[in-house]
Structures are given as C-alpha cells and as structure tokens.
Amino acid sequence: MLPPVEVPTLVTRLIREDWGRILSSLVSSIGDYGLAEDSLQDAVVSALEEWPRKGVPRHPDAWMITVARRKALDRIRRNQTAMRKSGELTLWLEQHRNDPEDRPMMIPDHRLEMIYTCCHPALEEKSRVALTLRALGGLTTAEIAGAFLDKTETMAARLTRAKKKLRAAGIAFKLPEPEDLHDRTDAVLRVIYLIFTEGHWSSDGQMSRTDLVNEAIRLGRILTGLLPDHAEAKGLLALMLLGDSRRLARKGDDGAFLPLEAQNRARWDRAKIREGGALVETALSMGPAGPYAIQAAISALHANAASFTATDWPQIVALYEVLAQRQPNPIVRINQAAALSYAKGPQAGLSLLDTLCVDDKLNGYQPYHACRADLLARLGRRQDAAASYRTAISLAVAPEDKAFLSNRLRALTAP
Amino acid sequence: MQYMCLIYAQEGKEPQPGTDEFGPFMQGYMDFTQRMKESGKLVSGDALQPTATSTTVSVRGGKAETVDGPFAETKEQLGGYYLLDCEDLDDALKCAEQIPSAAFGRVEVRPVVIWD
C-alpha cells in the first residue's frame, strides 16, 4: 500500500488519465459498452469508499479493472433476463472475478476500436462527439454539455440514447473494414479536433485543459500511424501540434491572455513546430489540400515567422480564401479579415467583415465583435470600437478573455 | 400468397413492462400468434427494436450513405423486406447496401427483438 493520498484527487486523476484505456479494455472483454461503463462507475464508487479505509492499491488501474469485472458479474446476475448475456461471458467474468488487484496487469489498449465505435455513422454526429468525449476523455456529462452549450439533462438523454443504440442495434466494438476505414475516418477526425478545441479553449472557463489537448494529439498520432496515406489525418495532427506549440506563450506571467503579437516567441515549442511543419508539408504533397491541412499551413506560417510584423500575411490571406471556398463559413472570413488588416490595412479587413451576413448566431459570437473592435480602434474610430469591445466582453465566457478585452477597452478609453 | 403485417403504433403508448396492463397485452399477442399458427396462416413474425435503434442506408453515385434513425416515409412506400441473420450492424449495413433498391430508395435496417 502506498502512503495516504488525497483519495478523491487520486480517483479524479485516474479517471482523467486512464478512463479511456480502462473502459475500452473492459468493453473489449465484456462486449457491451453500457454494461462496461456502468460497472466501471460502480468500481469508482467502491474506490472512493474503500481506498480511504484500506489504503490506495499499488496498481489502481488493475484494481479498477478487477473490481469492474466483479461489478459486471453482479449486474448480470441481478438482471439476468434484461441483460441476456451469454453463458460464455458469465463464465469468463467468473474466472476473472478474483484476479489479483495488487499486481500490475497488462491492460491492452483498445482505444482506437473505441473511437471508431463511438464515431459509427449509425449514430447522430453530435452523439458521436459526445460519446467519444465521455468514453475516451472521461469527461463528465456536464462538461460535454458545456462543450455544446447544451443543458446537462439534454446531454444525459442523448448519451443514454446513443449507448442504448450501440447495444440494441448490434454496433460491434471493432475497427472498420479496410474499405470503410477512410470514410469513417472523416467522422473520427472531426471528433478528435473537437476534443482538442475543447481542451484548447475550455468551455468551463479554464484557459487550457492540457489533458484533453494531449489526448487529442495522442489519438491523432495513433490515427496517422494507422493511416499513413491519409493526408487529412496528418493535416489535423499538424494543426493540433502547431496550435499547442504556442500554449506556454499564450499566458503572461500574471496569467493574462496574450495575443499573437504580444507573445514571446522564444517560449514557443520548437520541437512541436518542427514536427507539425513537416507533417503539413507531407500532407500538402499528397494531393488537394483538405481543410485541416490548410489551417495547419496557416498555423505553420505564423510559427515560422521571425516576428509578428515579419509574418507572411498575403500568403495567409490567400490560404484563408482557399479555405473559405472549401468551407463557406463566417468564422473563416473573420480570421481572414484579421489577416487582411495586417496585409492591406484595417479598412480592408473591416470591408470584408461588412460583407458578412450578421444573423443571430454571428451576432452572439464573441470573436466577431472582438475582431471588429480591434479594426475600428486601429482606424481611430474609438467610440465605435468601445461599443464593440463592450459587446465582446458581455459575450466572453473565459475570465482570461474577459480580462483581455477589458484591458483593451480601458486602453482605448484612457485619456 | 403471403402478407407481411407491419405493425405501426406510437412507441411508448402501448402497455409497458411492469404495469398491470402489460401481462394481458402480451397474452393477447401470444393468443393471436397461436390462433394464426393453428389456422396455418403464420409464416413468420417478429417484434422490432424501437426506432431509436434504426439505421437507414442509401447508395448514391455508388457511395453508401448511412444515417441514424428510421426511414421517414415520403413518396417511397414499403415494397418488401428481407430478414437477414448478420454478424453485427456493419455486416447488416453491408448487405443492405447490396439490395438494388438502395440505389433508388432507402433501406431501413432495424434489429429484431430476441425473446428469451
């Protein structure tokens, strides 16, 4: 037994770091997502009860697996007809119910099977993302709801529906057939990128959730290894590495958010920039560039610029144009407007913003107002800029965002 | 001649397991099945899992599209069915893609309830 540790903290850490690995391994042996997850949750409850009394086991992950198998057996026995589990599984669980909890266990990594199962096209896309965040990231239902700006109860119902369909429709826990792998990968890439962005700009107000970012990058690496000829898998991994390379520079010593122009470029992670840059080049050489590869190429131009002013803005504007053609999307245009303002001046950027159709959705989108405010301020239209900053501040969720925008507003209105 | 009787009912409105009405309701089905059997009319009959478990496949330009949910009837009407014994959903969807009508209409794939 290890010396006493703060048990809830330890359990939380275990869930964050090992949930996906433990759960996917359980699903692989039990063959039923719902049963595996319920049993693992039972095991977590047991850990919270037992560890403070008996001490933390030497191998918490092995303990979780063994106890979860025992709980699965209990659940099958309690609910024999509803579960309709084969005798074979019951026998298997019987044999493994007394696996020692205190020795290291080879826990095979089935996370890739898990991600393709969670991203099965027979599930609604939103459910795919939610299920993957739950199954692989170990996010709580409330956290997933936050990522979608949904109510927790709505998200809970969605997850329940998705899990029910996995079982009742007979969606197998396996990798797709080779001929389906590429099609199914598009859905997987979208899900991985959402996990990354959730970690990057966490909706719970935390600036950065490195565990999610790392999980997304790790999943991206596994995918590119599995699909060496999939350009967009490389493009996505590059995009995430390049984005993450600036993580340490994004906050000042006082914890405040620093925009690109104020970042200390010496703090950028050169290893990630090199790896990301090489991946973009390969991805672009493999054929017509997809949206992830284009975004990664933009990120690489930023990463390799000696200074903010030395950035190749015209090239970035051109890449945004290609991206906007592929993905007609106002958010792409907002970013293009910002780049255009450095290539050709703030008025050019503002003119582009003015061509956008501002509906309710865009009107509630904080970066739109922040971009507008910046362009107006640079044009010397201080009153209009201040109004836009105030709107942006009212829409900001993360405290760092609020603080950054408020500072800008103060600088603008200072005598 | 064989007739397939597709039973449409609003899900959740029928007697649910655990209620007093459920027993007589199920008994009614068993009695009906027995009567059809004795009269020699029964070929096969099954209950389907709820529509939430359904997946619909269509093939357009040689590419299979899979979407979550049942087929919402429009101009297309049910014109036939296959009852297939498949490994898992992917296996069933692969078979469904090969049904010639998938290229014109849609094929709804719904698991059949297995009674204990």
Side-chain angles (χ1 to χ4, degrees), chain A residues 19-20 23-24 27 33-34 37 110-138 144 158-159 162-163 165-166 171-176 184 187-192 195 219, chain B residues 68 90:
Chain A
W19 178 266
L23 180 64
S24 56
V27 177
Y33 180 93
E37 197 191 46
H110 287 289
R111 277 176 287 190
L112 203 59
E113 284 93 331
M114 179 70 104
I115 192 165
Y116 275 98
T117 304
C118 292
C119 298
H120 197 284
L123 298 170
E124 245 183 285
E125 183 165 87
K126 201 166 165 183
S127 303
R128 290 177 216 163
V129 179
L131 208 54
T132 307
L133 285 171
R134 175 94 198 92
L136 286 128
I144 302 166
R158 171 179 293 278
L159 281 166
K163 286 183 230 170
K165 179 155 185 183
L166 282 184
I171 296 174
F173 184 77
K174 62 175 194 192
L175 291 178
R184 294 269 306 274
V188 170
L189 294 177
R190 267 197 298 277
V191 166
I192 294 177
I195 296 174
L219 287 166
Chain B
D68 176 46
D90 281 327

Side-chain angles (χ1 to χ4, degrees), chain A residues 193 239 242 290-300 320 323 327:
Chain A
Y193 192 46
L239 178 61
L242 290 162
Y292 293 122
I294 299 169
Q295 290 174 79
I298 293 170
S299 200
Y320 273 123
L323 189 61
Q327 285 185 323

Side-chain angles (χ1 to χ4, degrees), chain B residues 57-60 63 95-107:
Chain B
V57 176
S58 53
V59 177
R60 296 292 181 270
K63 202 168 148 54
C95 298
E97 283 171 23
Q98 299 166 37
I99 297 174
S101 295
F104 307 97
R106 270 177 266 268
V107 178

Side-chain angles (χ1 to χ4, degrees), chain B:
Chain B
M1 231 160 61
Q2 292 182 1
Y3 293 93
M4 179 179 179
C5 300
L6 278 157
I7 304 161
Y8 286 100
Q10 207 178 330
E11 281 169 11
K13 290 282 177 181
E14 290 174 315
Q16 298 298 303
T19 63
D20 289 345
E21 296 79 31
F22 188 68
F25 174 73
M26 288 310 287
Q27 190 61 47
Y29 261 110
M30 283 189 269
D31 293 347
F32 173 79
T33 308
Q34 193 56 34
R35 279 202 301 282
M36 293 300 108
K37 222 181 243 173
E38 281 164 9
S39 66
K41 288 178 183 168
L42 184 77
V43 181
S44 82
D46 279 299
L48 298 181
Q49 299 282 3
T51 48
T53 67
S54 196
T55 307
T56 303
V57 176
S58 53
V59 177
R60 296 292 181 270
K63 202 168 148 54
E65 281 172 27
T66 304
V67 294
D68 176 46
F71 173 60
E73 265 181 87
T74 50
K75 286 222 162 173
E76 293 114 325
Q77 296 290 326
L78 188 78
Y81 81 103
Y82 283 98
L83 193 59
L84 303 173
D85 189 5
C86 292
E87 189 76 18
D88 53 41
L89 184 66
D90 281 327
D91 186 15
L93 294 173
K94 277 265 166 296
C95 298
E97 283 171 23
Q98 299 166 37
I99 297 174
S101 295
F104 307 97
R106 270 177 266 268
V107 178
E108 182 184 340
V109 179
R110 189 117 65 95
V112 167
V113 173
I114 301 154
W115 301 105
D116 285 314

Side-chain angles (χ1 to χ4, degrees), chain A residues 73-100:
Chain A
L73 195 57
D74 291 347
R75 276 178 178 269
I76 292 174
R77 288 202 180 120
R78 259 204 319 271
N79 209 349
Q80 200 83 54
T81 52
M83 296 263 187
R84 282 194 294 274
K85 284 290 134 198
S86 70
E88 247 174 282
L89 171 62
T90 318
L91 195 70
W92 187 87
L93 284 170
E94 279 284 7
Q95 283 166 348
H96 289 85
R97 69 168 287 138
N98 288 322
D99 275 351

